[in-house]
Amino acid sequence: MKAIILAGGSGSRLWPLSRDMYPKQLLSFNKESSLLQQTYLRLNTLVSSEEIVTVTNVMHYQDMKLQLNKINKDNIILAEPQGKNTAPAIAIALEYFKQNYSDDDIVLIVPSDQLIKNSTAFALSVKQAQTLANNGYIVTFGIKPTYPETGYGYIKTLSHLDEGYKVEKFVEKPNLITAQKYLSDGNYYWNGGMFMAKISVLIEEFEKYASDIYSQVSKINYSDGIKIPYGIYENLPSISVDYAIMEKSDKIALVELQSDWNDLGSWKSLYETKDKDENGNVIEGKVVTENVKNSFIYSQKELVAVSDLEDVVIVETEDAIMACKMDKSQNVKKLYEKLKANDATKLHKTVFRPWGYYTCMNGGKGYLTKTICVLPKQKLSIQSHNHRSEHWVVLEGTALVIKEDKEYILKPGESIDIPVKAKHSLQNPYDEELKIIEVQQGDYIAEDDIIRYEDCYGRV
């Protein structure tokens, strides 16, 4: 069996924790490992590491690689030049397997951002689905509804098969009255976005129903490496696999997922996975409450004090505060869309990198100030910038600075200027953390103004 992890989502409903450049699959909620890492580990008990392909957007590639390298350095990541929804993402992974393995193999396709705690029960459902997949079905994993959820798509089953059900149709996210009807009807399941089939069956359905996608994807030559050509990808339609294939195919079957499942699609769904106190609250961070019930209150940095509220979500991060009613937490996505205009959805103030982290302190037209922490025995790449100069002041530790092939040792209070286009590197070969203040100045201040020449993390 092979496996595909879909890791291109933005997690907009979990803003402000989830951001464009650091989406929810990279976050850790209930364990030390992120949702992406948990997904990989769960699959790795069923599939060997070289037969798991993760598909993500090119802007998330480095963070995905960093997290998966902590589990297995032989992981395979296909980076999409553009986000085009799930159908093209699946198609490029299918073509990879077709060119490297037998297309008679079965492939399991899962999102990277779902919380499943009972891996044993999940494995049993996968084994059950394999029987149907071997018989030529595309098998979905349906979740039995426990309440009338309006934020999920539904799947209606038609008749029994040996190991599951024949699917009659896929249904869009319903209103509350319709969702209540689906719940009482008994033959509707939540669409978990996971499915399994033979590679050959999926390719056949792509060629039948989405030939505009597969005719382009089949031009990729993976013997030249795993880079996806932009020229091929830019002409692909942006469409989900549900619309492109699943709603049209007559080969769809369903197996009821026996394990727990939560897609963490809203703050309410995250709240439901957490342990509650005696007042039904989930409290994390520096929080003080008085007469608060059935609420989720999270503080990342500042003290949050809350009085006389019920059924609310309050989330504080370094640069944003979000509050909403618990039962309306799906609407955070609408806030997210409005906030795109002022870049509040892109990055956290603190951004983690393989070598440490940086925190944006202040910025304006033509300047940006950061604090940078380089962990012991780590170093930044040898790089240059075409549009900005930098001024570094050491706060703690000792800095080894490479500037135009010369080495400088800087102690606390000492500083150095890095001119525009100068090759340079900030390094910490010592046993203590290095902290500096960096002041950037130039006509263009952005993270993509960087040319790397050498990098120990493979980012050149």
Side-chain angles (χ1 to χ4, degrees):
M1 186 169 69
K2 310 294 185 284
I4 299 170
I5 300 175
L6 301 175
S10 64
S12 55
R13 291 180 179 86
L14 290 182
W15 184 86
L17 271 189
S18 182
R19 305 289 175 104
D20 286 351
M21 294 298 291
Y22 210 79
K24 69 174 179 178
Q25 57 265 32
L26 293 171
L27 300 174
S28 175
F29 293 104
N30 285 5
K31 297 181 178 180
E32 290 184 4
S33 55
S34 69
L35 292 174
L36 171 69
Q37 291 169 321
Q38 290 178 46
T39 302
Y40 188 95
L41 289 168
R42 185 164 57 248
L43 292 179
N44 207 190
T45 64
L46 307 171
V47 183
S48 62
S49 58
E50 66 270 16
E51 296 175 327
I52 301 174
V53 168
T54 302
V55 185
T56 190
N57 192 288
V58 66
M59 67 181 181
H60 299 142
Y61 175 83
Q62 294 298 340
D63 288 317
M64 298 283 173
K65 188 73 173 174
L66 176 64
Q67 287 202 359
L68 292 180
N69 277 352
K70 292 178 180 179
I71 301 172
N72 189 319
K73 293 188 181 298
D74 296 326
N75 56 79
I76 300 163
I77 303 176
L78 302 182
E80 301 176 280
Q82 293 176 286
K84 293 281 189 174
N85 216 315
T86 54
I90 291 168
I92 63 173
L94 291 174
E95 183 63 18
Y96 173 86
F97 283 132
K98 178 185 176 183
Q99 292 183 26
N100 290 279
Y101 299 94
S102 167
D103 65 3
D104 203 43
D105 288 340
I106 287 173
V107 62
L108 172 63
I109 303 171
V110 301
S112 61
D113 54 2
Q114 297 179 345
L115 183 64
I116 295 174
K117 299 176 183 177
N118 191 338
S119 295
T120 301
F122 174 80
L124 290 174
S125 296
V126 169
K127 186 175 181 180
Q128 182 182 349
Q130 281 183 279
T131 301
L132 290 168
N134 275 320
N135 290 332
Y137 286 101
I138 301 174
V139 187
T140 65
F141 294 84
I143 295 90
K144 195 70 174 176
T146 54
Y147 60 92
E149 172 61 59
T150 59
Y152 299 152
Y154 285 71
I155 303 171
K156 184 182 181 183
T157 56
L158 182 64
S159 56
H160 281 278
L161 299 169
D162 287 344
E163 295 290 339
Y165 301 90
K166 190 79 171 69
V167 168
E168 179 180 343
K169 62 179 179 179
F170 287 73
V171 183
E172 289 297 309
K173 297 173 183 178
N175 58 33
L176 181 59
I177 294 174
T178 305
Q180 289 170 336
K181 181 181 180 298
Y182 291 166
L183 184 64
S184 60
D185 190 285
N187 61 342
Y188 285 85
Y189 291 80
W190 289 335
N191 183 359
M194 298 177 283
F195 55 97
M196 171 193 285
K198 286 184 177 181
I199 295 169
S200 58
V201 170
L202 286 168
I203 291 176
E204 180 182 318
E205 297 301 271
F206 263 97
E207 291 174 336
K208 185 175 180 180
Y209 298 112
S211 59
D212 53 342
I213 295 175
Y214 211 82
S215 62
Q216 292 296 312
V217 167
S218 60
K219 296 176 183 178
I220 299 172
N221 183 0
Y222 284 110
S223 63
D224 296 334
I226 59 174
K227 185 176 177 61
I228 310 300
Y230 181 81
I232 288 177
Y233 222 76
E234 66 175 336
N235 296 317
L236 297 182
S238 180
I239 186 171
S240 72
V241 72
D242 285 356
Y243 282 134
I245 305 296
M246 307 295 278
E247 294 183 2
K248 299 172 182 177
S249 176
D250 60 358
K251 298 179 179 180
I252 312 299
L254 180 143
V255 165
E256 183 177 334
L257 186 66
Q258 298 302 315
S259 69
D260 61 297
W261 174 89
N262 194 308
D263 80 334
L264 300 181
S266 68
W267 286 106
K268 179 183 177 181
S269 63
L270 180 58
Y271 166 82
E272 289 167 352
T273 70
K274 300 278 191 176
D275 294 333
K276 319 294 189 300
D277 64 17
E278 66 275 11
N279 294 311
N281 296 320
V282 173
I283 306 293
E284 297 187 8
K286 295 163 61 177
V287 177
V288 176
T289 63
E290 172 62 31
N291 193 31
V292 175
K293 297 179 180 178
N294 304 322
S295 296
F296 186 108
I297 306 172
Y298 173 93
S299 169
Q300 190 175 76
K301 185 177 181 181
E302 303 295 340
L303 172 65
V304 175
V306 185
S307 176
D308 299 295
L309 290 177
E310 190 170 345
D311 300 315
V312 297
V313 177
I314 300 173
V315 179
E316 179 271 342
T317 64
E318 287 182 302
D319 60 346
I321 298 172
M322 191 285 301
C324 67
K325 291 183 177 180
M326 182 73 73
D327 63 351
K328 300 294 184 181
S329 62
Q330 289 278 354
N331 290 337
V332 171
K333 184 174 184 178
K334 297 178 182 178
L335 276 178
Y336 184 90
E337 295 300 323
K338 289 184 176 181
L339 289 164
K340 281 187 174 181
N342 63 13
D343 291 342
T345 65
K346 286 187 177 179
L347 283 168
H348 290 282
K349 285 184 68 176
T350 298
V351 178
F352 292 92
R353 288 289 181 255
W355 43 261
Y357 61 88
Y358 66 82
T359 300
C360 296
M361 298 170 61
N362 196 6
K365 186 175 181 180
Y367 76 93
L368 178 65
T369 305
K370 296 178 176 179
T371 56
I372 296 176
C373 176
V374 185
L375 299 174
K377 311 299 183 183
Q378 301 298 318
K379 59 184 178 180
L380 282 67
S381 58
I382 296 178
Q383 57 187 257
S384 66
H385 310 291
N386 287 328
H387 301 278
R388 71 173 186 255
S389 63
E390 295 176 345
H391 179 72
W392 296 343
V393 181
V394 177
L395 300 176
E396 298 177 17
T398 302
L400 170 61
V401 178
I402 310 296
K403 186 174 79 168
E404 298 291 19
D405 298 324
K406 292 184 179 180
E407 292 188 359
Y408 302 84
I409 305 295
L410 302 182
K411 301 289 186 178
E414 297 180 332
S415 63
I416 191 169
D417 289 307
I418 308 296
V420 176
K421 297 187 177 181
K423 285 186 180 181
H424 63 278
S425 174
L426 177 63
Q427 303 185 5
N428 180 14
Y430 309 106
D431 294 326
E432 303 294 330
E433 286 187 352
L434 166 65
K435 292 184 179 179
I436 72 166
I437 288 179
E438 175 182 89
V439 180
Q440 302 177 0
Q441 289 184 299
D443 57 8
Y444 180 73
I445 305 293
E447 287 301 307
D448 58 0
D449 178 24
I450 183 171
I451 301 170
R452 289 190 173 94
Y453 303 95
E454 295 179 25
D455 183 65
C456 60
Y457 308 106
R459 296 176 297 173
V460 174

